[in-house]
Amino acid sequence: MRTHYCTDLNETNVGEDVVLTGWANNYRDHGGIIFIDLRDKTGLIQLTCDPEDSKEAHAVANDVRDEYVLIAKGKVRLRGEGLTNPRLKTGAIEIIVNELIIENKSAPVPFVIGDKNVGEETRLKYRYLELRDPDMFEVFRLRSKAAIAARNILDKNGFLEVETPILTKSTPEGARDYLVPSRVHNGEFYALPQSPQLFKQLLMVGGFDRYFQIAKCFRDEDLRADRQPEFTQIDVEMSFCNQEDVIKVAEDLLTAMFKACNIDIKPPFNRMTHNDAMEFYGSDKPDLRYDLKMVDVIDIFERCDNEIFTNIAKAPHINRIKALKVPGADLIFSKREMKSFEEYVRKFGAHGLGYFQMKEDGLKGPLTKFFSDEDIALIIERTELEVGDVVFFGAGEKKVVLDYMGRFRNFIAEHEKMNLIDENAFAFVWVVDFPMFEVEDGKVKALHHPFTMPKSLDKDNVEEIESIAYDIVLNGTELGGGSIRIHKEAIQEEVFKLLGIEAEEAQEKFGFLLDALKFGAPPHGGFAIGFDRLIMLITKKSSIRDVIAFPKTQKASCILTKAPSQVDNTQLRDLHIRLREQIKS
């Protein structure tokens, strides 16, 4: 029906007869000549309907309104001198229309296509209208290019794309499962997969050697800007590999995907141990686009005359005193602003936030009186202070201090007065050597999942056991990660024992995998990358919802389709389900 897309045309097409299709972005009647900006997925071009060229086309143009579907036939012409529009790719040309067809009319639209100030609820209710915006189309064009690049590079490297079940068994994987009742099996449920983890390990037992899948995953968890109840991940598993092999494949994959989006990245990426990430940046997903790094000063504070600090410093194995130098902060922030920072960190468990200012005549601040001149000089040296800098410090229990100081580091970097972040940078880092376990309320839990291979189980303290696990982080966002898996029955039994999982419970929850691992399972490992998060970062969007065609709200509902919704009693009876009547408060 068309000869070109709107922005395919330029000055080289002047004089050509063309047929264009699209929507009326807007129309203007200037003294009898009607101008229509026609829009398709590529952008805009101006249609000029002059009665001297075609009375019939001009008459039709009189009836055009916003978002009418149009077919326009005409000739490409240069715009007159001084009439070009530099904001448009096609701003030097126009189409002199000799035939105009209104293919379909449109009801009045609730917002102007391309308006970036429309509320999210309205945008999601009329998502199909928002998708008409060429900027939105560009996001999904890049998403498609990245997916194709992923398939091509993995295929080139010998990986086979295999689909795994969507209706599967409920297994504990960290978040709540979405459950699907079975009509055939009364009282029993399928679960939607949180990941293809167990099935991809079964494929390795099955000798597939190298597998991948662009997989739909489902998690019933609290939502935020980078989470959705259903999301897409690029899932990869390989046999007879070590950590270095897996990381090389992941870096090749990311390089190809970024190249498809016209961005060059340079592997190998930086690496950092989990312990260093926490101690220096207070996070296992550090943003390395800026340099702010925490420094240990607990040994200096141990000698001060403040009893609070000396008591904390007496237990360096469970406590931390961390300093964070902010260059030039004394010249940027008022004392009132610096005091307000304390209110920010208190939200995350801090009891306070001390600070020293580096002046021309030395270190100043209300707490300097508790330190000797030698220790003040040591603080200046260790934190590399220069005139105009401020050093903030937090003290207390290790986990709490690292958390709120890490958050404070990000808060300062993102502050409008600091301008520390290069928005065009892509700062990758591998975080490796994760702890195998964490202890919460006296209970040992797997930090990743119970099939992660430990480096060694020969430790008295389970929290000191490291795993062969790795996360890939980009600009402070965890893109994904993976691990080398346990493929030996004896190691798996020992891990279950440390987790307090008895053999009967393990068989009930993971029996099909454990049975498979007994039949000559090869060494294997892999990774998964959050595809939606990756596209969000590539396109510099602030929410994952902007890169999913039909996303859910933060309350896990779809405003467009009004899902979830009630179903009729017949459907419930078929599923052997009776709803409990809610008691009104």
Side-chain angles (χ1 to χ4, degrees):
M1 296 179 74
R2 64 166 75 91
T3 60
H4 300 79
Y5 286 103
C6 290
T7 64
D8 288 347
L9 299 171
N10 54 44
E11 294 92 327
T12 64
N13 301 104
V14 169
E16 292 182 18
D17 291 314
V18 297
V19 181
L20 302 179
T21 62
W23 288 266
N25 194 66
N26 58 61
Y27 59 94
R28 306 173 300 282
D29 190 337
H30 288 184
I33 300 176
I34 297 174
F35 298 97
I36 300 170
D37 285 339
L38 185 71
R39 185 191 70 248
D40 64 16
K41 67 178 185 178
T42 67
L44 303 175
I45 194 166
Q46 180 173 282
L47 306 180
T48 300
C49 301
D50 190 331
E52 292 189 6
D53 296 308
S54 172
K55 291 182 180 179
E56 293 80 5
H58 182 267
V60 174
N62 267 311
D63 295 330
V64 170
R65 296 295 179 266
D66 286 354
E67 298 309 308
Y68 277 26
V69 181
L70 305 178
I71 300 174
K73 300 179 181 180
K75 192 179 293 289
V76 182
R77 183 177 76 180
L78 287 172
R79 294 197 192 188
E81 187 176 345
L83 299 176
T84 59
N85 185 347
R87 292 175 298 176
L88 291 183
K89 186 177 179 181
T90 58
I93 59 173
E94 60 186 352
I95 307 300
I96 303 302
V97 179
N98 54 50
E99 183 180 348
L100 185 66
I101 299 170
I102 296 177
E103 182 63 28
N104 214 345
K105 296 182 179 181
S106 170
V109 291
F111 56 85
V112 175
I113 306 302
D115 185 352
K116 310 303 183 190
N117 297 312
V118 181
E120 185 177 62
E121 186 169 332
T122 300
R123 289 192 292 110
L124 293 182
K125 182 178 180 179
Y126 300 98
R127 183 67 161 185
Y128 43 83
L129 294 179
E130 185 183 25
L131 292 175
R132 290 183 185 176
D133 181 353
D135 288 346
M136 287 293 288
F137 176 81
E138 179 63 12
V139 168
F140 290 95
R141 188 188 71 82
L142 289 177
R143 184 182 173 116
S144 175
K145 291 287 187 184
I148 292 168
R151 283 191 163 96
N152 288 342
I153 190 68
L154 290 169
D155 176 68
K156 181 180 177 182
N157 283 311
F159 286 84
L160 186 68
E161 184 169 15
V162 183
E163 295 177 351
T164 54
I166 292 297
L167 295 176
T168 185
K169 178 183 174 63
S170 179
T171 56
E173 290 194 44
R176 295 184 190 89
D177 284 328
Y178 278 103
L179 299 177
V180 180
S182 170
R183 178 185 61 81
V184 178
H185 302 280
N186 186 3
E188 297 182 347
F189 294 81
Y190 302 102
L192 302 182
Q194 295 186 34
S195 76
Q197 179 62 49
L198 303 184
F199 287 104
K200 66 184 180 183
Q201 290 191 249
L202 292 177
L203 288 171
M204 297 303 103
V205 176
F208 274 44
D209 193 66
R210 290 190 163 203
Y211 137 97
F212 84 94
Q213 181 181 189
I214 299 182
K216 274 289 186 183
C217 304
F218 307 86
R219 293 181 185 175
D220 185 5
E221 58 188 350
D222 294 334
L223 303 184
R224 58 190 187 209
D226 62 352
R227 278 185 185 170
Q228 280 277 290
E230 54 179 311
F231 58 94
T232 306
Q233 70 181 33
I234 302 178
D235 202 55
V236 179
E237 195 80 3
M238 51 198 290
S239 295
F240 300 103
C241 62
N242 56 32
Q243 177 174 289
E244 295 306 312
D245 298 324
V246 176
I247 285 177
K248 175 66 166 60
V249 168
E251 291 184 347
D252 286 349
L253 172 65
L254 287 167
T255 301
M257 293 172 71
F258 270 76
K259 186 176 181 179
C261 298
N262 301 313
I263 300 170
D264 288 324
I265 56 176
K266 304 292 185 191
F269 303 146
N270 289 328
R271 293 203 197 174
M272 183 181 304
T273 67
H274 178 269
N275 184 69
D276 283 351
M278 297 304 299
E279 294 289 348
F280 294 144
Y281 303 102
S283 172
D284 59 5
K285 43 183 182 293
D287 191 338
L288 300 187
R289 288 175 296 173
Y290 45 92
D291 189 43
L292 301 179
K293 185 185 285 190
M294 296 190 297
V295 177
D296 237 328
V297 290
I298 197 167
D299 58 320
I300 304 174
F301 278 64
E302 186 180 13
R303 299 188 293 270
C304 77
D305 294 330
N306 185 299
E307 189 175 349
I308 295 174
F309 292 130
T310 55
N311 286 337
I312 290 171
K314 286 176 183 176
H317 58 294
I318 59 172
N319 292 332
R320 288 293 183 273
I321 301 179
K322 289 288 186 179
L324 182 73
K325 181 186 80 169
V326 182
D330 195 37
L331 309 174
I332 296 171
F333 298 114
S334 66
K335 282 189 176 181
R336 175 178 293 181
E337 285 175 309
M338 287 192 282
K339 188 66 178 174
S340 73
F341 296 158
E342 187 173 305
E343 297 307 310
Y344 173 79
V345 296
R346 283 186 185 277
K347 293 187 291 186
F348 306 105
H351 295 297
L353 183 71
Y355 66 89
F356 295 139
Q357 298 154 283
M358 189 64 189
K359 304 286 190 181
E360 290 281 358
D361 55 347
L363 204 62
K364 302 296 179 184
L367 297 177
T368 54
K369 62 186 178 184
F370 297 113
F371 295 85
S372 67
D373 291 344
E374 290 79 8
D375 284 339
I376 286 175
L378 188 54
I379 290 172
I380 294 171
E381 178 185 349
R382 187 170 299 178
T383 58
E384 299 179 351
L385 290 176
E386 297 180 0
V387 174
D389 296 345
V390 175
V391 59
F392 297 89
F393 58 88
E397 192 268 322
K398 172 183 173 180
K399 188 173 182 180
V400 176
V401 170
L402 295 184
D403 179 58
Y404 75 72
M405 288 299 285
R407 291 175 185 271
F408 179 61
R409 173 183 179 267
N410 294 339
F411 172 82
I412 284 291
E414 293 165 1
H415 198 287
E416 60 184 1
K417 289 188 176 181
M418 290 300 298
N419 195 31
L420 289 180
I421 301 176
D422 179 358
E423 297 293 347
N424 294 315
F426 291 101
F428 288 93
V429 60
W430 285 101
V431 179
V432 299
D433 299 343
F434 273 80
M436 180 76 182
F437 305 103
E438 59 182 344
V439 179
E440 287 186 1
D441 301 323
K443 186 176 180 180
V444 178
K445 297 181 178 181
L447 190 66
H448 280 78
H449 57 70
F451 308 108
T452 302
M453 179 69 81
K455 283 190 170 183
S456 169
L457 292 172
D458 189 21
K459 298 279 186 180
D460 293 332
N461 182 354
V462 294
E463 291 186 283
E464 293 179 2
I465 296 174
E466 292 183 347
S467 64
I468 310 178
Y470 33 83
D471 279 357
I472 181 65
V473 177
L474 173 58
N475 295 354
T477 294
E478 178 196 332
L479 277 186
S483 66
I484 301 300
R485 325 300 185 189
I486 297 171
H487 65 285
K488 294 187 176 182
E489 189 176 1
I491 299 175
Q492 189 65 73
E493 287 178 357
E494 185 65 24
V495 168
F496 280 150
K497 186 186 297 183
L498 290 170
L499 290 169
I501 299 175
E502 299 295 335
E504 185 177 337
E505 181 186 357
Q507 190 65 30
E508 180 186 345
K509 291 179 176 178
F510 312 107
F512 62 96
L513 176 63
L514 298 178
D515 290 344
L517 292 177
K518 295 175 182 177
F519 292 96
H524 59 284
F527 65 91
I529 289 175
F531 189 43
D532 309 300
R533 287 185 183 181
L534 178 62
I535 301 302
M536 179 183 75
L537 293 171
I538 287 175
T539 57
K540 297 182 172 28
K541 298 296 182 182
S542 59
S543 170
I544 202 172
R545 295 188 288 278
D546 292 332
V547 300
I548 296 174
F550 299 102
K552 305 291 190 293
T553 68
Q554 279 197 298
K555 293 183 178 180
S557 64
C558 176
I559 298 176
L560 174 65
T561 63
K562 297 182 171 59
S565 61
Q566 295 180 347
V567 298
D568 63 42
N569 287 330
T570 302
Q571 290 174 285
L572 293 175
R573 278 197 300 270
D574 287 344
L575 294 169
H576 318 289
I577 290 176
R578 178 183 297 164
L579 298 180
R580 180 181 295 172
E581 188 176 345
Q582 290 186 343
I583 300 174
K584 295 181 180 180
S585 57

